[in-house]
Amino acid sequence: MPKSGRNKVSSLQDLADLAGVSRATASRALNDNPIISARTRKKLQALARKHGYSINRQARDFRLRRTSVISVVFMLDVESQQHMSDPFFLDMLGGIADALADHDYDLLLAHAPIANILDVKESRVMRQSDGVIFIGQEQQLEQLNQLAEDGQLMVVWGYPVPDKKYVVVGGDNVGGGYKATKHLLEIGRRKIGFFGATNNPENAARHEGYLKALSEYNVDPDPTLKVDVPFEMLRAREAIIDMLDSQVELDAVVCISDVMALATMSTLQELGLRVPQDISVVGYDDITLAAYSSPQLTTVRQNIRHAGRILVESVLGLINGENVPDTMLSSELIIRNSCGAK
Amino acid sequence: MPKSGRNKVSSLQDLADLAGVSRATASRALNDNPIISARTRKKLQALARKHGYSINRQARDFRLRRTSVISVVFMLDVESQQHMSDPFFLDMLGGIADALADHDYDLLLAHAPIANILDVKESRVMRQSDGVIFIGQEQQLEQLNQLAEDGQLMVVWGYPVPDKKYVVVGGDNVGGGYKATKHLLEIGRRKIGFFGATNNPENAARHEGYLKALSEYNVDPDPTLKVDVPFEMLRAREAIIDMLDSQVELDAVVCISDVMALATMSTLQELGLRVPQDISVVGYDDITLAAYSSPQLTTVRQNIRHAGRILVESVLGLINGENVPDTMLSSELIIRNSCGAK
DNA sequence: GAGATTGTTGCAATCGATTGCATGATTTCA
DNA sequence: TGAAATCATGCAATCGATTGCAACAATCTC
């Protein structure tokens, strides 16, 4: 059996004894402290490898009074108290997890269970981690601000609203809305609707980009073309039908999300309208299904995995006492069939 | 200001000093140890509350030689090395997180980055947690078995394949496939296709349920009605078109997932076929979009949040040295429009 | 060759809790 | 009243690492 005395060396002391040095020397050697002679260092490192020993992080973190843990808090939708399970969150989580692993941090997952985030303040999430990443700020500006003022190291995925007191990483929502709309204008559309609730900062920004593009093309925004479909979308279909019933002209739609866009497309098709021939549709997020719908959905993609990495770099920067700026990640228009060829 | 001397009491010693007792007594009091008089206990607990003190879990876990951490490992698709970002995983994660929180455990998130899970063995995921939950066993039976044999406390979300040596929690895939198919048979369909790759145990089980239902209705399974669309589905559309081109008769389709079902529906509609009038379609998973497609998708729902809870109960049972059986969670057929009324 | 300098390693305190055992106080019982 | 039993609390070791300071050895300088 090639197993050479395993399971024996379980502490620094064991290793030190084995090497005939003190615990202190062993500790320094494994941490590559130059105060220890190169020979001793190599020797101990080799020994550690041979016996499959590695430093007990729990003990180390305890001694060093840190946790090596970053909490990730998923905010709940204020109204529905529901998880905002946009499909892309899992990707973002993946990005975060990878980045944290690279930096030797752990990821503690939680979600704000109550409307009042502050209730989380005294919880493990806050007390037992070196920093917190909030996903989705929604309308909870006040409470997030308060946490930030209490000295919590935190980064929020969302949109930099004016009075925020924390670091924000977010997509270029204005740019995304702008690109989507501009493309529709370029291919000749003029009666462009905007579907989706704009009651949170990110969506409002997308709408702002929409308006910006319209104004560049000297198209007056038509308020009747804006449909404020709520998050749940249960009534997306009705809202769309209502609008079409009211005889407005419409030749394109910018949607707040892919889910909304897919619901829109199927509603339109149901009503006998052709996408994109009669009406162009553009979504937002580039979820997996976007590529498999019929027609395939033109949409705005945010590099969500990369966003996860940036979020991590940001908290870690905070932990290191750096001055961390907000980050805005660019969005990219993915042109597929649902908008019609240029 | 109502803040009465905060930020002072940060260790048991502080609290003990404040109460005029020893550290030991304080510890026992907070842990409701009956050896301490009720009066002293109440007094210390009140004091702790008043000063916002709570036991430092890091120190406690260190002392007690445990981690209070459960790792959750998301398996990667073997071929594509891609995250299996089925939308419902986030829900499951939510369920797991909640259940762990209830039991005062933390959740460490990771994913098996390499084809070889064993490489994770020496990583923090394994060494720094009291147990592991694997999501999605795919074809990695061998390696999972080996981990289990090495004494790793682990529970796997998947399907109980014959030679497994670990605890499995999974949906009733046979039952799900059976219910979906049976319903189609009940409403008179007979040429029922099965769309989706069956190269992993869970999907194979769904197919098994499909066959079972057919046989109950004395319908001979037609192999040409089985389309083995790969996970990525890039070619789902082509595969479907190919099949229809070959002039087979088809009046219904059971799909391996909702994503597949949605792709199928749009392909069929594109070809001028009506769903459900010409062809019924049934999916699996009940993703959010299933309720918003047109027609709304009939699908098999697994209570995925509940599954998360069961997974947690199972690892915790393992940790407590209990004999934990496999669990199979029932599946429910959600009847919507895409299959046609009964 | 003596003193100063530099290089290497060890001693022991420390992080914040838990817990076996000892001790002192109180009650019980004959 | 005195011994035994019971109750309540404290002492001090312990978990596994890190690190300031001291100590000793080796090298250098004049």
Side-chain angles (χ1 to χ4, degrees), chain A residues 9 34 37 41 57 59 83 110-112 127-128 134 136 140 154 168 190 200 239 250 254 270 284 294 311 316 334 339:
Chain A
V9 184
S37 70
R41 258 184 290 159
R57 288 182 49 104
H83 231 151
H111 52 201
R127 302 180 57 250
Q128 296 278 110
F134 286 95
Q140 326 199 16
M154 55 190 266
V168 167
R190 287 298 178 273
N200 78 355
L250 184 73
V254 174
E270 209 171 313
Y284 213 106
S294 154
L311 283 166
L316 262 34
I334 307 294
C339 60

Side-chain angles (χ1 to χ4, degrees), chain B residues 126-153:
Chain B
M126 305 298 172
R127 303 180 56 250
Q128 296 278 107
S129 59
D130 299 338
V132 183
I133 294 174
F134 286 94
I135 308 294
Q137 80 203 105
E138 294 295 312
Q139 299 102 330
Q140 323 199 19
L141 169 69
E142 292 293 337
Q143 304 178 26
L144 289 172
N145 264 346
Q146 191 162 338
L147 273 181
E149 282 183 335
D150 282 4
Q152 178 60 240
L153 295 185

Side-chain angles (χ1 to χ4, degrees), chain B residues 174-211:
Chain B
V174 175
Y178 172 77
K179 283 180 192 164
T181 312
K182 186 178 176 201
H183 182 252
L184 293 172
L185 289 161
E186 280 173 351
I187 62 175
R189 308 297 182 174
R190 286 298 178 274
K191 308 291 185 184
I192 304 176
F194 188 93
F195 287 9
T198 52
N199 59 348
N200 77 357
E202 297 179 65
N203 291 356
R206 294 176 192 177
H207 187 244
E208 188 186 326
Y210 158 86
L211 293 176

Side-chain angles (χ1 to χ4, degrees), chain B residues 286-305:
Chain B
D286 193 26
I287 64 177
T288 311
L289 259 177
Y292 301 119
S293 63
S294 153
Q296 292 176 21
L297 190 62
T298 290
T299 187
V300 177
R301 175 192 295 168
Q302 321 189 55
N303 190 335
I304 217 71
R305 284 190 68 82

Side-chain angles (χ1 to χ4, degrees), chain B residues 12 27-28 53 56 63:
Chain B
L12 255 187
S27 169
R28 294 188 174 108
Y53 169 80
N56 181 325
R63 173 63 230 258

Side-chain angles (χ1 to χ4, degrees), chain A residues 34-159:
Chain A
I35 217 175
I36 298 294
S37 70
R39 206 158 54 84
T40 312
R41 258 184 290 159
K42 296 302 163 217
K43 178 174 137 198
L44 277 159
Q45 289 169 7
L47 208 57
R49 215 171 311 120
K50 176 178 165 198
H51 291 274
Y53 169 81
S54 64
I55 288 174
N56 180 327
R57 288 182 49 104
Q58 197 184 11
R60 156 193 267 171
D61 285 340
F62 173 52
R63 174 62 229 258
L64 264 27
R65 316 177 82 174
R66 68 180 184 201
T67 66
S68 289
V69 168
I70 297 293
S71 297
V72 175
V73 179
F74 277 78
M75 311 283 260
L76 301 173
D77 179 59
V78 186
E79 287 149 30
S80 65
Q81 282 285 37
Q82 281 262 313
H83 231 151
M84 313 189 304
S85 51
D86 287 65
F88 67 80
F89 277 162
L90 197 64
D91 279 336
M92 180 178 281
L93 207 49
I96 293 174
D98 286 351
L100 284 176
D102 288 349
H103 292 278
D104 221 18
Y105 269 81
D106 280 345
L107 159 35
L108 194 157
L109 193 67
H111 52 201
I114 338 194
N116 193 340
I117 304 174
L118 295 174
D119 292 351
V120 188
K121 198 168 71 177
E122 292 297 321
S123 80
R124 312 185 53 190
V125 174
M126 305 297 172
R127 302 180 57 250
Q128 296 278 110
S129 59
D130 299 338
V132 182
I133 294 174
F134 286 95
I135 307 294
Q137 81 202 103
E138 293 295 314
Q139 299 103 328
Q140 326 199 16
L141 169 68
E142 290 295 335
Q143 304 178 25
L144 288 174
N145 265 346
Q146 191 162 338
L147 274 181
E149 282 184 336
D150 283 3
Q152 178 60 241
L153 295 185
M154 55 190 266
V155 174
V156 175
W157 169 258
Y159 186 81

Side-chain angles (χ1 to χ4, degrees), chain A residues 140-197:
Chain A
Q140 326 199 16
L141 169 68
E142 290 295 335
Q143 304 178 25
L144 288 174
N145 265 346
Q146 191 162 338
L147 274 181
E149 282 184 336
D150 283 3
Q152 178 60 241
L153 295 185
M154 55 190 266
V155 174
V156 175
W157 169 258
Y159 186 81
V161 291
D163 289 329
K164 61 147 186 78
K165 295 179 171 142
Y166 41 83
V167 176
V168 167
V169 176
D172 178 7
N173 292 288
V174 175
Y178 173 78
K179 282 180 191 165
T181 311
K182 186 179 175 201
H183 183 253
L184 293 172
L185 289 161
E186 280 173 351
I187 62 175
R189 306 298 181 174
R190 287 298 178 273
K191 309 290 186 187
I192 305 175
F194 188 93
F195 286 10

Side-chain angles (χ1 to χ4, degrees), chain A residues 11-12 27-28 53 63:
Chain A
S11 76
L12 255 187
S27 169
R28 294 188 173 108
Y53 169 81
R63 174 62 229 258

